[in-house]
């Protein structure tokens, strides 16, 4: 089947906005070409410093966002909406379209995605790769849902869970996406985990990933939002989403926290760090640790009502 590849080229400063708009507009896949930190990313993800010259020659000051339309979608209907949202957001962009076979874009990223170690105990391994390690292996194929461990926001959460999970915890993952955080917590020793996401596709993907990793029996994943799906008390609550969503849900978190519980909030771009910290405190959450990595922030909170 031939899909339509809509390629949006934008300056680095508009990358996050363009990606967000593409995600909202498209029902298909999103593929990002961002070579800004190529050498560092290649070492951290693949543990190699030998990179093909054609990648080294890629421009570092732009990002290419590929949005894929299924054969039954009409580009003439999608493109005007996409252009309107880009222009309304003040994004400088160049837009191109082409036809592409589905299997081409589904497999294009595989050569850049390899096994990697995270924290002291975890290893994230794609399903097509064999990785000899004594670490706890989480098998993840990116699929269509965010969260493979390669992005800074996800790796910050995984490192935190690696330090935090001691065994027997009840975990809630808000905006579960691929389910990677809940799956990691379970494989680290948590007793049970719940994942909540408003996107049915993410819920399906998270369930499949739980099956693949042998933890489906202890993982409940539901379509919905925090207000109508979470129940009881949790020892660890994670939210690897975006700053605005964290600020929105924060007031509902303290009542879900068991004594001594921790709330891990990530996906926060550093320019909104102070705003989010103030919002968390206003919601009754006291930050106890702040982690930062290449422009992204992860905040670990306790319930401020605890003595």
């Amino acid at each position: 089947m031939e899909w339509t590849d809509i390629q949006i080229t934008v300056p680095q400063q508009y990358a996050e906005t363009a990606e967000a708009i593409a995600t909202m507009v498209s029902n298909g896949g999103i593929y990002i070409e961002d070579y800004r930190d190529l050498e560092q990313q290649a070492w951290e993800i693949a543990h190699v410093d030998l990179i093909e010259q054609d990648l080294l020659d890629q421009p570092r000051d732009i990002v290419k966002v590929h949005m894929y339309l299924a054969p039954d979608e009409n580009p003439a209907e999608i493109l005007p909406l996409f252009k309107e949202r880009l222009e309304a957001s003040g994004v400088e962009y160049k837009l191109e379209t082409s036809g592409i076979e589905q299997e081409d874009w589904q497999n294009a990223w595989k050569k850049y995605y390899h096994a990697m170690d995270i924290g002291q105990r975890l290893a994230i391994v794609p399903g097509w790769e064999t990785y000899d390690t004594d670490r706890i292996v989480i098998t993840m194929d990116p699929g269509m849902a965010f969260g493979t461990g390669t992005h800074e926001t996800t790796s910050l959460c995984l490192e935190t869970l690696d330090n935090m999970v001691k065994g027997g915890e009840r975990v809630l993952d808000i905006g579960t996406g691929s389910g990677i955080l809940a799956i990691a917590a379970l494989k680290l020793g948590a007793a049970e985990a719940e994942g909540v996401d408003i996107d049915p596709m993410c819920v399906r993907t998270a369930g499949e990933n739980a099956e693949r990793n042998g933890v489906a029996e202890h993982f409940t994943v539901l379509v919905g939002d925090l207000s109508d799906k979470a129940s009881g008390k949790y020892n660890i609550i994670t939210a690897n989403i975006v700053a605005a969503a964290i600020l929105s849900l924060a007031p509902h978190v303290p009542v879900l926290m068991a004594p001594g519980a921790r709330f891990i909030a990530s996906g926060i771009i550093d320019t909104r760090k102070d705003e989010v910290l103030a919002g968390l405190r206003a919601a009754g959450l006291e930050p106890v640790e702040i982690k930062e990595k290449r422009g992204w922030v992860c905040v670990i909170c306790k319930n401020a009502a605890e003595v």
Side-chain angles (χ1 to χ4, degrees):
M1 293 189 299
E2 188 169 83
W3 289 48
T4 301
D5 174 10
I6 300 176
Q7 177 182 298
I8 312 95
T9 303
V10 299
Q12 279 286 349
Q13 65 264 35
Y14 299 115
E16 186 176 356
T17 302
E19 181 180 353
I21 293 172
T23 302
M24 287 188 292
V25 170
S26 174
N27 292 319
I30 302 293
Y31 172 46
I32 311 297
E33 291 187 69
D34 185 351
Y35 304 100
R36 173 178 31 183
D37 301 316
L38 177 62
E39 290 84 358
Q40 185 172 0
Q41 291 282 354
W43 178 255
E44 292 183 0
I45 297 172
H47 303 293
V48 297
D49 54 14
L50 182 62
I51 304 173
E52 294 181 5
Q53 189 60 45
D54 62 339
L55 288 179
L56 290 171
D57 291 340
Q58 292 289 335
R60 309 299 179 92
D61 58 345
I62 63 169
V63 168
K64 297 177 183 178
V65 179
H66 295 265
M67 181 174 72
Y68 299 97
L69 303 185
D72 60 351
E73 292 183 278
N74 185 355
E77 295 177 352
I78 302 296
L79 282 170
L81 173 62
F82 193 34
K83 290 179 180 179
E84 178 184 340
R85 292 193 176 185
L86 287 168
E87 290 165 6
S89 300
V91 174
E92 299 173 12
Y93 69 93
K94 176 183 177 183
L95 192 148
E96 302 171 80
T97 63
S98 63
I100 185 169
E101 291 298 320
Q102 182 178 7
E103 58 268 21
D104 291 343
W105 67 260
Q106 286 183 326
N107 293 311
W109 40 262
K110 284 188 176 181
K111 60 182 176 180
Y112 306 120
Y113 179 44
H114 301 277
M116 65 177 185
D117 296 339
I118 291 183
Q120 298 299 311
R121 294 185 284 170
L122 294 171
I124 312 299
V125 182
W128 59 85
E129 185 171 303
T130 300
Y131 189 55
D132 186 14
T133 181
D134 294 329
R135 288 172 171 257
I136 296 168
V137 171
I138 301 174
T139 302
M140 293 294 297
D141 292 347
M144 302 283 282
F146 175 80
T148 61
T150 60
H151 194 276
E152 290 84 355
T153 61
T154 309
S155 62
L156 282 167
C157 288
L158 289 169
E159 290 166 5
T160 303
L161 288 171
D162 185 30
N163 291 327
M164 190 176 292
V165 177
K166 307 302 180 185
E169 294 86 355
R170 186 174 188 231
V171 177
L172 172 64
D173 185 22
I174 305 167
T176 195
S178 67
I180 188 171
L181 299 184
I183 292 167
L186 288 168
K187 299 201 79 170
L188 286 165
E192 60 179 295
E194 294 179 13
V196 178
D197 204 294
I198 60 174
D199 188 342
M201 182 184 70
C202 290
V203 169
R204 183 175 65 250
T205 300
E208 291 170 353
N209 284 331
E211 289 279 359
R212 183 180 291 116
N213 284 278
V215 297
E217 182 180 350
H218 304 286
F219 184 32
T220 302
V221 58
L222 301 168
V223 178
D225 58 31
L226 176 64
S227 62
D228 67 352
K229 294 301 179 183
S231 62
K233 302 287 185 179
Y234 303 87
N235 306 107
I236 299 172
I237 301 175
T238 61
N240 183 27
I241 37 183
V242 295
I246 290 170
L247 290 170
S248 176
L249 67 86
H252 306 284
V253 171
V255 296
L256 299 172
M257 299 175 75
R262 292 293 182 264
F263 173 50
I264 305 169
S266 192
I268 305 161
I269 197 164
D270 58 3
T271 55
R272 302 195 67 178
K273 172 183 170 181
D274 292 340
E275 176 190 357
V276 172
L277 288 174
L280 291 171
R281 291 190 176 100
L285 293 159
E286 181 60 34
V288 296
E289 185 178 1
I290 300 170
K291 299 181 178 182
E292 300 189 40
K293 182 183 289 186
R294 287 194 296 275
W296 296 94
V297 180
C298 175
V299 183
I300 299 93
C301 300
K302 68 177 182 179
N303 190 335
E306 289 188 8
V307 178

